[in-house]
Amino acid sequence: MKRKLVFIITYLLIQNVTAQIAIIPQPLECKMGQGELKLAGNFGVTGDAVFESSLHYLRKLMLSRFGISTYTSLEKDAKMIVKLDGKLQHEAYRLKIGRKGIEIYASDRSGMVNALASLEQVFTAAERKGNAFLLPVLNIEDKPQFGWRGFMLDESRHFFGKEKVKSLLDWMAFYKLNKFHWHLTDEPAWRLSIQKYPWLTQVGGIGNYLDPYAPVQYYSQADISEIVTYAAERNIEVIPEIDMPGHATAANRAYPFLSGGGNERHPDFTFHPAKNTTYTFLTDVLREVKTLFPSVYIHLGGDEVAFGSEAWNNDVKVQELKKTVGLKSNKEVEEYFIRRMADSVAGINGKIIVWDEMVDAKLAKDQTVMMWWRHDKPEQLNKILDKGYQVILTPRLPMYFDFVQQEHHKYGRKWGKGFNPLQDVFNFAGNQLDSLGKRKQQVLGIQANLWTETVTNVNRLDYLVFPRIAALAEAAWVPGTGRNFDEFTKTLKKHLPLYRDQGLYYFDPFKDSNAEPAVIKKSQKQYIDNPK
């Protein structure tokens, strides 16, 4: 009984300390000390050579966020010391703030960047006297629950541009999210420049979800390089998605010979699965993609092909392919397509990610990661795990941020009566994962997705992402037993002024003070996967 009481008291003390310093996600262990550290607007920093690039990032961060200039100094004169500790796990860190200075320990650059995220939040909440910051004395030891802490942005349906993407990456780093899944191709538009096939953007980049004649918008290869470098500096891996064999309308508009057809609602929805020119074309595209993105992963989509593949039933070449290869259905043709493209990715030393529809495609387990997104089909998750694939959990409920946050919101999405409030995001992937047993080891992590059918402007993007991105970070970093929603909301209230100061049009879950941005529909398009 005494031991249990001590545990409860210790837990409550940790929660209270975390609320005081307002760090999201909550550190694994945080101990407050006596006194404070006074840091003026100019101080010395030193560190082991392995962290040189991180120290450069630190200098830029401190100057841009707090107006503090730092300089390289001898250890005896430094107010901040960064040290290598090989005993710490990947992405783990220790942060010590004493009365005389700051010490950071990490085994690699990723841990260092995570420590800087916590330090940034400490500085943000610190009391100021003149140009000096008064930091609390504390000791943090921290590591993440999951190695994959992801956020996906769909820019095919609506395009937001380089500066907004950088802003999102800043906030991801602030909350220790480390995977940016970038959905760049789909029905409305193709947003990634491919040198060998310029019409992909010059023709395929025209339009958006609500306006098929919107001016062309896309990312040049120079833009991509800049964004990938920016993300890497913040410990964020950028994973591109080139959707296939469905959701291919924009590419087919640019190069009609690629089209495998579709239906009245979704014309030219699929790539043609029975032409070698299709596979040659897409292999060329993926080679350029792999050159642009250092990530080992390329997301190939593989979802919802059935919304357009009925055209294959009347295609002579597809029927010949079925007979030649021994494929009994259009579903098997889909899987054949993905296997061929997976071989192309393997040939450029890459691995693929696909949506859960591809669980039966006989893809190599060591070269494939599955994303479970269909919350209404838990059997797909069980099948993924039973077949031995690694998986990222991203179910519509509660991980789709295009779903509304409150029942009375009317411009976003619902699933029947289901929607995605802050608390549901916060509670996701907690103790319920224990029921997976040993299969839990196959779960790489979790991810939230922002599909942009209703996201027509930056204000609406911010309204759907903030503050749910903070709840996502908590769910991805903190094991279920360590979470407390009431304490989280106390901390979150201290973050809302940061959103306001940065000009974000965020949703306030406490006062609902910002009105939901309206969506003026130019068409009556519906979500492709709406429940019947």
Side-chain angles (χ1 to χ4, degrees):
M1 187 66 185
K2 284 184 179 179
R3 186 177 297 176
K4 186 175 182 180
L5 183 61
V6 169
F7 173 80
I8 292 172
I9 292 172
T10 302
Y11 175 74
L12 291 175
L13 286 172
I14 290 173
Q15 298 287 342
N16 185 50
V17 166
T18 306
Q20 285 181 38
I21 59 174
I23 293 179
I24 296 175
Q26 173 189 304
L28 184 67
E29 183 178 330
C30 182
K31 296 178 181 178
M32 297 289 287
Q34 298 295 318
E36 60 192 16
L37 169 66
K38 183 177 182 180
L39 278 181
N42 186 31
F43 60 84
V45 176
T46 189
D48 290 340
V50 68
F51 295 123
E52 184 176 349
S53 63
S54 298
L55 290 174
H56 179 63
Y57 170 55
L58 164 69
R59 293 186 188 100
K60 292 193 295 183
L61 179 69
M62 297 303 288
L63 186 60
S64 62
R65 289 281 287 114
F66 308 110
I68 294 174
S69 59
T70 60
Y71 56 89
T72 302
S73 69
L74 298 174
E75 186 168 324
K76 64 184 180 65
D77 301 320
K79 286 291 186 179
M80 184 184 298
I81 299 172
V82 178
K83 290 284 189 181
L84 181 68
D85 184 346
K87 294 180 182 179
L88 290 172
Q89 296 178 15
H90 174 59
E91 289 205 285
Y93 68 92
R94 293 202 312 274
L95 170 62
K96 294 182 178 182
I97 301 178
R99 294 180 184 179
K100 295 183 178 181
I102 299 169
E103 298 175 31
I104 296 175
Y105 298 87
S107 65
D108 54 25
R109 189 179 172 281
S110 62
M112 168 67 171
V113 173
N114 288 331
L116 293 180
S118 289
L119 185 63
E120 180 182 0
Q121 294 192 37
V122 171
F123 265 94
T124 301
E127 181 184 352
R128 296 189 68 168
K129 286 190 177 180
N131 69 337
F133 289 78
L134 304 181
L135 306 183
V137 170
L138 56 80
N139 187 358
I140 293 175
E141 296 197 21
D142 203 8
K143 64 179 180 180
Q145 173 186 205
F146 291 122
W148 190 290
R149 305 180 301 282
F151 177 78
M152 188 219 78
L153 178 65
D154 163 24
E155 285 204 83
S156 173
R157 290 171 177 85
H158 286 102
F159 185 87
F160 302 99
K162 184 167 58 176
E163 295 310 311
K164 189 58 186 177
V165 168
K166 284 184 174 182
S167 174
L168 283 170
L169 292 171
D170 285 338
W171 286 106
M172 287 179 66
F174 188 75
Y175 287 127
K176 303 185 182 76
L177 299 171
N178 65 350
K179 307 292 182 186
F180 179 56
H181 171 183
W182 209 357
H183 189 84
L184 291 165
T185 74
D186 211 304
E187 288 185 85
W190 182 288
R191 305 297 190 190
L192 171 64
S193 174
I194 300 297
Q195 291 182 358
K196 190 166 186 177
Y197 302 112
W199 290 357
L200 283 171
T201 48
Q202 297 305 315
V203 175
I206 298 171
N208 59 42
Y209 184 75
L210 295 181
D211 181 4
Y213 304 109
V216 61
Q217 290 180 300
Y218 64 91
Y219 291 100
S220 70
Q221 295 199 354
D223 292 333
I224 295 296
S225 178
E226 182 179 340
I227 290 169
V228 166
T229 301
Y230 193 87
E233 191 174 45
R234 288 153 180 76
N235 188 41
I236 297 170
E237 180 180 358
V238 184
I239 297 99
E241 181 175 359
I242 309 298
D243 220 334
M244 60 183 75
H247 294 275
T249 311
N252 291 334
R253 186 166 69 243
Y255 293 94
F257 70 85
L258 296 171
S259 179
N263 57 34
E264 186 176 345
R265 286 187 63 199
H266 304 285
D268 295 309
F269 186 75
T270 70
F271 288 118
H272 201 292
K275 293 181 179 177
N276 285 331
T277 50
T278 302
Y279 298 99
T280 300
F281 183 99
L282 290 175
T283 298
D284 289 341
V285 167
L286 293 179
R287 284 175 180 153
E288 283 199 38
V289 170
K290 190 67 173 65
T291 301
L292 292 169
F293 295 90
S295 173
V296 70
Y297 295 111
I298 299 178
H299 201 306
L300 297 186
D303 62 313
E304 300 179 328
V305 187
F307 287 99
S309 63
E310 61 263 39
W312 297 351
N313 296 327
N314 300 313
D315 189 294
V316 174
K317 287 184 177 294
V318 175
Q319 299 312 309
E320 289 176 355
L321 174 68
K322 286 181 178 179
K323 291 178 182 178
T324 302
V325 184
L327 305 173
K328 299 177 182 177
S329 65
N330 286 344
K331 182 64 178 176
E332 290 189 6
V333 175
E334 294 175 29
E335 294 167 350
Y336 166 84
F337 187 106
I338 287 291
R339 284 196 300 273
R340 283 192 64 167
M341 296 314 305
D343 288 343
S344 293
V345 174
I348 51 177
N349 296 319
K351 297 182 179 182
I352 68 166
I353 303 175
V354 287
W355 301 108
D356 61 43
E357 284 94 324
M358 287 295 121
V359 67
D360 293 318
K362 299 182 180 66
L363 295 163
K365 294 179 180 61
D366 61 341
Q367 294 289 317
T368 307
V369 172
M370 301 267 175
M371 280 192 169
W372 176 60
W373 69 283
R374 290 183 292 176
H375 73 280
D376 55 322
K377 295 184 181 294
E379 67 274 11
Q380 289 297 105
L381 174 59
N382 287 323
K383 190 180 287 189
I384 289 169
L385 296 171
D386 289 343
K387 288 178 176 287
Y389 290 104
Q390 291 182 312
V391 65
I392 300 158
L393 305 178
T394 180
R396 296 186 196 91
L397 300 180
M399 289 285 108
Y400 273 27
F401 282 7
D402 47 311
F403 279 67
V404 298
Q405 302 178 72
Q406 284 196 345
E407 190 170 12
H408 72 269
H409 290 170
K410 59 184 179 180
Y411 294 107
R413 192 176 180 197
K414 291 183 180 179
W415 188 270
K417 294 184 178 180
F419 56 99
N420 291 335
L422 185 73
Q423 188 166 3
D424 286 2
V425 178
F426 176 88
N427 287 330
F428 181 66
N431 300 338
Q432 64 267 37
L433 289 183
D434 293 337
S435 64
L436 298 178
K438 291 183 178 179
R439 300 187 305 171
K440 183 179 177 181
Q441 298 174 3
Q442 295 167 233
V443 178
L444 294 181
I446 67 174
Q447 177 173 298
N449 297 335
L450 182 63
W451 303 101
T452 58
E453 282 90 340
T454 67
V455 189
T456 57
N457 55 59
V458 167
N459 277 358
R460 183 147 182 84
L461 186 155
D462 291 344
Y463 193 82
L464 293 171
V465 172
F466 298 92
R468 283 190 291 195
I469 193 171
L472 166 66
E474 197 83 12
W477 188 275
V478 182
T481 52
R483 299 182 213 164
N484 181 307
F485 186 68
D486 290 338
E487 293 300 329
F488 169 75
T489 57
K490 292 177 185 177
T491 305
L492 182 61
K493 286 178 181 178
K494 299 179 181 181
H495 283 229
L496 297 187
L498 306 181
Y499 303 159
R500 182 195 61 217
D501 294 346
Q502 293 295 314
L504 300 176
Y505 191 85
Y506 61 93
F507 168 63
D508 187 337
F510 309 108
K511 298 179 181 178
D512 201 7
S513 54
N514 291 334
E516 181 188 17
V519 177
I520 300 173
K521 293 186 177 181
K522 294 185 180 180
S523 70
Q524 297 301 311
K525 290 186 177 182
Q526 300 295 321
Y527 279 84
I528 191 171
D529 66 326
N530 271 348
K532 299 293 188 287

